[in-house]
């Protein structure tokens, strides 16, 4: 089991990153709530991870702190929720916000997320109601901050922030036509793809 990775951030293409540790490059998918906290490319980062093995793939998911990872693990235990949908849920709201939804049985907030219909939302609220009390701890810890070991950045690729944002949001389950219109409406000159994604996700809530 790969539980934590510490290494140099080589690439950032939301929602995926490439981290090099001990000469090995790890492709890791992160929820956007964790992605926002990443240091710059070329700097050292730490992510908590969850390793998923399927017949057709081996996938590594990363998180800003252990609370987010714990929630991800609870989500994928729920009936009808796989890693991709769990990643989408944690991209649309933080662990603290999700726990708040469960505590207040807020179906409306959950159904705004792609892939979460009313039945799925209701099932999540029922199944997780008694399992999330341990997640009310502080989730502000941020091991993803730069560790003051910058190296020369030779990895940056100049992508169009709008196109990158659209690709990331489609990967998270949003419909291309809907998300493309929203991205173009919200984009302002000088915004990064992360800025665009953050604003789009906020507008969906």
């Amino acid at each position: 089991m790969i539980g934590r990775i510490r290494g140099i951030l080589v690439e950032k293409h939301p929602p995926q990153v490439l981290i090099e540790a001990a000469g090995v490059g790890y492709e890791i998918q992160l929820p956007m709530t964790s992605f926002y906290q990443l240091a710059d490319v070329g700097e050292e980062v730490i992510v908590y991870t969850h390793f998923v093995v399927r017949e057709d793939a081996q996938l590594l998911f990363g998180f800003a702190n252990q609370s987010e990872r714990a929630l991800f693990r609870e989500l994928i235990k729920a009936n009808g929720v796989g890693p991709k949908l769990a990643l989408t849920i944690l991209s649309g709201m933080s662990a603290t916000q999700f726990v708040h939804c469960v505590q207040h049985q807020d179906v409306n907030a959950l159904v705004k997320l792609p892939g979460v219909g009313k039945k799925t939302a209701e099932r999540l609220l029922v199944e997780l109601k008694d399992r999330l009390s341990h997640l009310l701890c502080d989730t502000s810890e941020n091991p993803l901050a730069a560790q003051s070991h910058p190296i020369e950045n030779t990895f940056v690729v100049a992508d169009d922030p709008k196109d990158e944002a659209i690709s990331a949001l489609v990967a998270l389950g949003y419909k291309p036509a809907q998300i493309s219109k929203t991205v173009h409406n919200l984009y302002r000159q000088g915004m990064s793809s992360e800025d665009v994604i953050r604003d789009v996700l906020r507008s969906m809530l």
Side-chain angles (χ1 to χ4, degrees), residues 32 36-37 192-203:
M32 293 309 302
Y36 299 142
Q37 301 178 55
S192 68
S193 60
E194 294 169 46
D195 293 332
V196 179
I197 294 168
R198 183 186 291 109
D199 285 355
V200 169
L201 292 174
R202 284 175 177 169
S203 74

Side-chain angles (χ1 to χ4, degrees), residues 2-11 17-28 43-47 49 60 151 155:
I2 303 173
R4 196 184 81 155
I5 291 178
R6 177 174 181 171
I8 300 300
L9 182 60
V10 178
E11 295 179 3
V17 300
L18 180 66
I19 297 176
E20 183 175 333
V24 179
Y26 295 91
E27 292 182 343
I28 307 172
E43 295 182 336
E44 188 176 57
V45 294
I46 298 173
V47 295
T49 57
L60 197 57
I151 62 174
F155 309 108

